[in-house]
Amino acid sequence: MTRRASRSTSRRLAGLGLLALFASAQAMAQAPSCKGTIYLTFDTGSQSQAELIEQTLRRHRIKATFFLANEKTIHGDYSLDPAWAPLWKRLAEQGHAFGTHTFDHVYVVRDLPQGKIEVRPQFGADAGKKLQWTPAQYCDEMQRVAQRFEQLTGQPLDHLWRAPGGRTTPNLLKAGQACGYAHVGWAPAGFSGDELPSEKWPNEVLLKKSLDGLKDGDIFLAHMGIWSRHDAWAPAVLEPLISGLEQRGMCFATLREHPDYRDRLRSPRER
């Protein structure tokens, strides 16, 4: 290569470097400045709002965390049946996080001696029955979700757990911890109210309550459809809630980024 060609190549490389630097600075300037972070979480339910929630999150480029149980859906099947695999696959590919909500949506009733717990499944062969479980049995129930999720999506479940109804007891929390799962509740202002009767709690009231109360670091809870609510929460509240929080400078993240959970969820190589 001649000296003139070498100088020409150097100038081109320098020009490309300046262009890359300019593009990077421009991207940083256009990136939103976060005044806080809200952690949206969704529990399975009737699944009547599942596609709407997916579309809304994708449109706003938001990542959320989903807690999965095998609940009866508006289609007459169950939310962890193979028919729902495309939804869970898409959400997983989009970068959302996933935790266990117990396979049969198992409510805890009370603690029993020797570390045991009394539980009542909502679905499955023992639906409605009161059962006495050991911590290992409860762990098996949580792991059923992890196993099914991997079968449906080919991806592992995050080691996150939410007890149905958010109800816990000392023995239950010990069982979850021994199983390797971190329990996730929600902030007082993070209760969407989508389970409340719409006659007493109309959507506009719930929207105002959430917008007025949510603050940096709050975990927000909603469902992917509620059987009992006549005026569905998601179409009326979800979009204006997200837009309102964005206007306040709020950003959104999964619980993988939450300071209380991110270190627990990292793989050994990442620590």
Side-chain angles (χ1 to χ4, degrees), residues 189 204-215 218 241 245 248:
E204 57 268 23
V205 172
L206 295 181
L207 174 61
K208 185 178 187 305
K209 175 180 172 293
S210 295
L211 285 174
D212 289 348
L214 285 169
K215 62 185 185 302
D218 278 352
L241 174 63
L245 291 171
R248 284 171 43 191

Side-chain angles (χ1 to χ4, degrees), residues 196-268:
L196 301 174
S198 50
E199 296 78 12
K200 294 183 179 179
W201 293 90
N203 286 322
E204 57 268 23
V205 172
L206 295 181
L207 174 61
K208 185 178 187 305
K209 175 180 172 293
S210 295
L211 285 174
D212 289 348
L214 285 169
K215 62 185 185 302
D216 176 34
D218 278 352
I219 296 173
F220 183 84
L221 161 73
H223 295 80
M224 302 181 78
I226 292 293
W227 289 97
S228 59
R229 189 170 176 86
H230 294 150
D231 297 326
W233 175 90
V237 180
L238 182 59
E239 180 82 36
L241 174 63
I242 290 173
S243 296
L245 291 171
E246 287 176 333
Q247 289 169 15
R248 284 171 43 191
M250 290 293 180
C251 295
F252 301 87
T254 74
L255 292 174
R256 293 170 183 159
E257 286 77 49
H258 192 287
D260 290 347
Y261 304 104
R262 61 190 175 203
D263 289 339
R264 304 187 205 183
L265 297 178
R266 289 176 183 163
S267 68

Side-chain angles (χ1 to χ4, degrees), residues 66-80:
F66 294 84
F67 288 91
L68 311 183
N70 194 40
E71 302 190 56
K72 189 174 182 179
T73 82
I74 56 170
H75 301 305
D77 58 1
Y78 290 84
S79 51
L80 293 179

Side-chain angles (χ1 to χ4, degrees), residues 32-39 62 245-246 248-253:
S33 176
C34 294
K35 295 181 180 178
T37 303
I38 302 296
Y39 301 88
I62 286 173
L245 291 171
E246 287 176 333
R248 284 171 43 191
M250 290 293 180
C251 295
F252 301 87

Side-chain angles (χ1 to χ4, degrees), residues 52-253:
L52 172 69
I53 290 169
E54 178 198 7
Q55 293 165 3
T56 304
L57 296 177
R58 186 171 65 245
R59 185 165 57 254
H60 286 265
R61 299 182 181 181
I62 286 173
K63 302 295 184 290
T65 304
F66 294 84
F67 288 91
L68 311 183
N70 194 40
E71 302 190 56
K72 189 174 182 179
T73 82
I74 56 170
H75 301 305
D77 58 1
Y78 290 84
S79 51
L80 293 179
D81 281 349
W84 289 93
L87 171 72
W88 302 129
K89 282 181 181 179
R90 290 196 306 269
L91 290 172
E93 290 168 356
Q94 290 162 20
H96 299 283
F98 300 86
T100 176
H101 200 35
T102 69
F103 195 87
D104 286 330
H105 206 250
V106 179
Y107 288 94
V108 64
V109 178
R110 62 189 176 108
D111 280 346
L112 298 172
Q114 300 178 330
K116 292 184 178 181
I117 45 180
E118 185 173 84
V119 299
R120 189 183 72 253
Q122 186 178 1
F123 301 103
D126 293 319
K129 298 178 183 178
K130 289 185 178 180
L131 309 172
Q132 295 186 7
W133 278 2
T134 64
Q137 286 174 298
Y138 195 86
C139 180
D140 289 343
E141 176 68 15
M142 292 197 292
Q143 291 286 56
R144 289 176 70 193
V145 177
Q147 292 162 3
R148 178 65 63 85
F149 182 74
E150 190 157 359
Q151 289 171 359
L152 295 177
T153 68
Q155 298 195 33
L157 195 77
D158 296 288
H159 278 209
L160 296 167
W161 156 55
R162 175 173 286 157
R167 175 173 166 75
T168 62
T169 65
N171 284 359
L172 190 75
L173 289 173
K174 289 177 183 176
Q177 184 176 15
C179 197
Y181 286 85
H183 188 264
V184 180
W186 54 87
F191 176 62
S192 67
D194 63 356
E195 295 176 283
L196 301 174
S198 50
E199 296 78 12
K200 294 183 179 179
W201 293 90
N203 286 322
E204 57 268 23
V205 172
L206 295 181
L207 174 61
K208 185 178 187 305
K209 175 180 172 293
S210 295
L211 285 174
D212 289 348
L214 285 169
K215 62 185 185 302
D216 176 34
D218 278 352
I219 296 173
F220 183 84
L221 161 73
H223 295 80
M224 302 181 78
I226 292 293
W227 289 97
S228 59
R229 189 170 176 86
H230 294 150
D231 297 326
W233 175 90
V237 180
L238 182 59
E239 180 82 36
L241 174 63
I242 290 173
S243 296
L245 291 171
E246 287 176 333
Q247 289 169 15
R248 284 171 43 191
M250 290 293 180
C251 295
F252 301 87

